[in-house]
Amino acid sequence: MNISPYSEKNTHNFKLFSNIPDVCKTEPCVLGIDEAGRGPVLGPMVYGIAFCPTSKNGDLKALGVDDSKQLTEAQREDLLQKVLDNNDYIGWAVDFLAPCFISTSMNKRGKYNLNAMSHDSAINLVKDAIQAGVNVSEVYVDTVGPPEKYQAKLEGIFPSLTITVAKKADSLYPCVSAASICAKVARDRALKEWSFPEGGESGDISGPWGSGYPADPVTKKFLQEQIHPIFGFPGIVRFSWKTAQKIMEEKGVKVEWEEVEPEEEENKNPSVSQYFVTVAKSKKGEKKSTAKMHPYFRERCLSRVEQF
């Protein structure tokens, strides 16, 4: 799994697809979806898929794939290599969501939250697999949010597929376990190989930065040391995380933006009442006095109708 294109340009999202095995184009396939790096304050969130023919699901299970969180780094690397070695019937893809993309999406005025990003990444990976020729028949997903709602959403988008959304799907379905391993290894490598364009040639920014999780002491130390009072953190940090925001509030320069009220032009928004005339009520037996007709009506040769 060569992720160097992302490592070289880690400020942008990146998608990496394996070759599609021929058997996956002709036989019905199961496809699993899982993510890695949803909670960390550092680095990308990575979504992964893994797919194989339904008839080979037992072979995939026999490789020993399991929930990546239950495995050591060495075990994950070993299992990923097994997935790569069996490319005659296993295919995969990973989608890197860069930390700066996550930050800007969550901080902009029309917020694009993490659940929406997760759903869109998973949906697009399935669409990409189908477009690439994979004969997808069953999809298994480790849930984000309530599984019933997520499953209904996916079934609406992919009505011809059998969809299963479940909690702990990465420990229940081999294809999801394989996807979990692909995503986790890809994220770990991206974090380990992170380059800092903000550091320039001087290399001002240096590690270690740890696992990226807010509770990691190494990550905490990195955040405290690498904050700039004006420019904030380097691009590896998700500015939208409360951990980062709290440090920014404590160590950053506070700026107050003055809101200038725009000057309203006279009669820019005229009242609709200007287009009507007021007729004074008369006492019984007296003639009514009528106000002058508005130019709008006169210019269009319109006359007032008082009796029908």
Side-chain angles (χ1 to χ4, degrees):
M1 183 186 286
N2 179 18
I3 68 163
S4 57
Y6 176 71
S7 297
E8 292 165 5
K9 202 172 184 181
N10 53 34
T11 56
H12 292 69
N13 294 349
F14 175 69
K15 201 174 288 185
L16 179 65
F17 247 91
S18 71
N19 292 326
I20 310 299
D22 290 336
V23 69
C24 291
K25 298 178 181 179
T26 56
E27 292 189 25
C29 292
V30 294
L31 182 149
I33 306 173
D34 199 12
E35 53 77 24
R38 182 179 173 83
V41 66
L42 302 184
M45 178 169 71
V46 181
Y47 253 80
I49 62 170
F51 49 88
C52 72
T54 306
S55 60
K56 291 281 190 179
N57 205 23
D59 294 346
L60 179 59
K61 185 176 182 179
L63 294 179
V65 291
D66 196 0
D67 174 11
S68 64
K69 294 185 286 294
Q70 306 301 321
L71 304 170
T72 64
E73 183 179 355
Q75 288 173 324
R76 288 193 294 267
E77 290 282 353
D78 181 57
L79 285 170
L80 176 65
Q81 192 57 51
K82 289 182 179 180
V83 169
L84 299 179
D85 291 342
N86 286 275
N87 57 10
D88 57 323
Y89 73 93
I90 301 174
W92 53 269
V94 287
D95 184 16
F96 293 82
L97 302 183
C100 59
F101 168 77
I102 294 172
S103 298
T104 53
S105 297
M106 294 181 70
N107 282 332
K108 64 184 180 181
R109 183 165 294 182
K111 290 186 179 181
Y112 182 33
N113 65 41
L114 204 62
N115 278 2
M117 286 182 237
S118 299
H119 288 186
D120 288 348
S121 178
I123 290 164
N124 288 330
L125 281 170
V126 175
K127 287 180 177 178
D128 290 343
I130 294 171
Q131 190 172 0
V134 181
N135 185 13
V136 181
S137 63
E138 301 173 28
V139 176
Y140 296 88
V141 189
D142 194 35
T143 190
V144 173
E148 300 81 10
K149 288 185 178 180
Y150 192 11
Q151 182 164 321
K153 180 178 181 178
L154 293 175
E155 287 171 342
I157 298 170
F158 305 106
S160 62
L161 305 182
T162 302
I163 310 284
T164 302
V165 179
K167 295 178 180 179
K168 304 294 182 183
D170 45 5
S171 59
L172 297 174
Y173 306 103
C175 57
V176 182
S177 300
S180 174
I181 289 165
C182 291
K184 178 63 175 169
V185 172
R187 175 184 149 78
D188 286 351
R189 290 183 182 180
L191 201 62
K192 189 178 293 184
E193 299 169 9
W194 196 270
S195 60
F196 294 89
E198 305 91 344
E201 294 180 2
S202 61
D204 292 350
I205 303 171
S206 60
W209 44 86
S211 64
Y213 283 89
D216 185 341
V218 180
T219 299
K220 286 182 179 179
K221 186 172 184 288
F222 175 81
L223 290 170
Q224 292 288 346
E225 291 177 349
Q226 296 299 335
I227 183 172
H228 188 283
I230 296 174
F231 299 111
F233 296 103
I236 193 174
V237 180
R238 302 179 189 177
F239 281 62
S240 51
W241 256 235
K242 286 185 178 179
T243 308
Q245 290 176 349
K246 185 178 178 182
I247 297 173
M248 278 290 292
E249 289 171 2
E250 292 173 353
K251 295 190 173 184
V253 175
K254 290 180 172 58
V255 178
E256 292 184 5
W257 302 96
E258 183 182 355
E259 293 187 13
V260 180
E261 293 291 335
E263 294 183 7
E264 292 188 7
E265 296 177 16
E266 190 175 354
N267 294 327
K268 186 178 180 181
N269 297 308
S271 170
V272 70
S273 63
Q274 293 181 22
Y275 293 93
F276 299 91
V277 294
T278 304
V279 177
K281 290 184 179 181
S282 60
K283 296 180 181 179
K284 193 173 181 181
E286 293 180 8
K287 192 176 179 180
K288 294 181 180 179
S289 61
T290 307
K292 205 173 187 180
M293 183 180 282
H294 193 281
Y296 176 89
F297 299 103
R298 285 204 312 272
E299 290 166 5
R300 289 160 179 76
C301 300
L302 299 174
S303 59
R304 183 179 300 108
V305 176
E306 297 179 353
Q307 293 182 354
F308 298 90

